[in-house]
Amino acid sequence: KQEVTQIPAALSVPEGENLVLNCSFTDSAIYNLQWFRQDPGKGLTSLLLIQSSQREQTSGRLNASLDKSSGRSTLYIAASQPGDSATYLCAVRPSGTYKYIFGTGTRLKVLA
Amino acid sequence: GAVVSQHPSWVICKSGTSVKIECRSLDFQATTMFWYRQFPKQSLMLMATSNEGSKATYEQGVEKDKFLINHASLTLSTLTVTSAHPEDSSFYICSAREGVLQETQYFGPGTRLLVL
């Protein structure tokens, strides 16, 4: 059974700092992995999607990497801003399915 | 990009009543829609997968008679919480898979349900 874990559960950093959020999954048989942002009481915003054949994806200040064999992904946020404060969710799509298995989330707070 | 809407965005109801939540794909046909539930400070958990014109597939532990799912058209799926109780209070989010670009799923904004 696929399980997705995110570390740390919460993180508080000063503005301008570079930071890394971690995601691990137990079954390497995945089709893709996606990082989402969720603001309090809101829905999901897709940030980056990495196919199983890819090693990384970049969008602006965000960079996500994928090491499928070791069951790990990282989301790197450069020059963090208070507007980056949110919960970041990692989700994997197991091979052969269309559903996503979500991680436990990392609550990020960037202090001005 | 493709948009998925949910209605209502929030609902408060009395215990014992039934609540219907709609999930619509606004500019694409969704062959498959997914319903997730998120309890406070927890992650999203998949409840069921619905395919247009067929019965929904429920995840283990989800009561199909309590959470009725109807996917009658390629742009609409509904989730009905029957005889709702306070423990059903949660954030319900749907996602829709576009029939052509099968790799992409689009998530709705969510519906917050509070059962008193």
Side-chain angles (χ1 to χ4, degrees):
Chain A
K1 179 184 175 183
Q2 177 74 269
E3 292 184 1
V4 183
T5 305
Q6 292 183 245
I7 295 174
L11 182 63
S12 185
V13 300
E15 182 178 6
E17 193 163 300
N18 302 325
L19 55 98
V20 175
L21 307 182
N22 297 291
C23 172
S24 61
F25 45 96
T26 55
D27 189 339
S28 62
I30 66 169
Y31 192 84
N32 62 40
L33 181 147
Q34 197 160 181
W35 283 92
F36 294 89
R37 168 186 173 138
Q38 185 177 31
D39 292 287
K42 303 293 184 181
L44 304 180
T45 300
S46 178
L47 299 173
L48 290 165
L49 184 149
I50 310 177
Q51 301 293 350
S52 62
S53 59
Q54 297 175 323
R55 296 286 291 183
E56 65 177 344
Q57 282 287 335
T58 298
S59 176
R61 294 183 292 109
L62 305 179
N63 176 277
S65 68
L66 173 65
D67 184 343
K68 194 174 69 166
S69 60
S70 67
R72 295 177 188 275
S73 176
T74 61
L75 178 66
Y76 175 82
I77 302 177
S80 58
Q81 302 170 359
D84 295 330
S85 299
T87 295
Y88 290 80
L89 295 168
C90 162
V92 300
R93 178 182 152 187
S95 298
T97 74
Y98 292 105
K99 64 184 181 183
Y100 278 90
I101 309 297
F102 281 82
T104 47
T106 294
R107 292 189 305 279
L108 171 66
K109 187 170 184 178
V110 181
L111 305 171
Chain B
V3 176
V4 174
S5 70
Q6 284 185 238
H7 178 79
S9 56
W10 60 271
V11 57
I12 301 174
C13 69
K14 293 181 179 180
S15 184
T17 61
S18 294
V19 176
K20 180 183 283 187
I21 302 171
E22 294 184 348
C23 175
R24 292 182 184 272
S25 58
L26 297 186
D27 49 4
F28 67 97
Q29 293 185 330
T31 54
T32 307
M33 289 184 171
F34 304 87
W35 286 96
Y36 295 84
R37 178 170 53 185
Q38 184 179 37
F39 291 109
K41 297 189 177 182
Q42 296 187 26
S43 193
L44 280 76
M45 298 295 292
L46 180 67
M47 298 175 65
T49 301
S50 74
N51 293 294
E52 185 265 337
S54 63
K55 290 184 178 180
T57 302
Y58 291 81
E59 295 298 302
Q60 191 172 9
V62 178
E63 300 176 57
K64 62 180 181 180
D65 293 332
K66 181 167 185 63
F67 299 98
L68 301 179
I69 292 174
N70 184 284
H71 193 161
S73 77
L74 285 171
T75 59
L76 173 65
S77 176
T78 60
L79 168 68
T80 301
V81 184
T82 62
S83 187
H85 291 284
E87 58 265 30
D88 298 323
S89 298
S90 186
F91 193 51
Y92 293 87
I93 297 180
C94 72
S95 71
R97 179 175 73 92
E98 188 175 1
V100 176
L101 297 176
Q102 299 179 0
E103 314 312 323
T104 307
Q105 277 188 38
Y106 303 96
F107 284 80
T111 295
R112 187 163 299 282
L113 170 64
L114 177 61
V115 184
L116 302 176

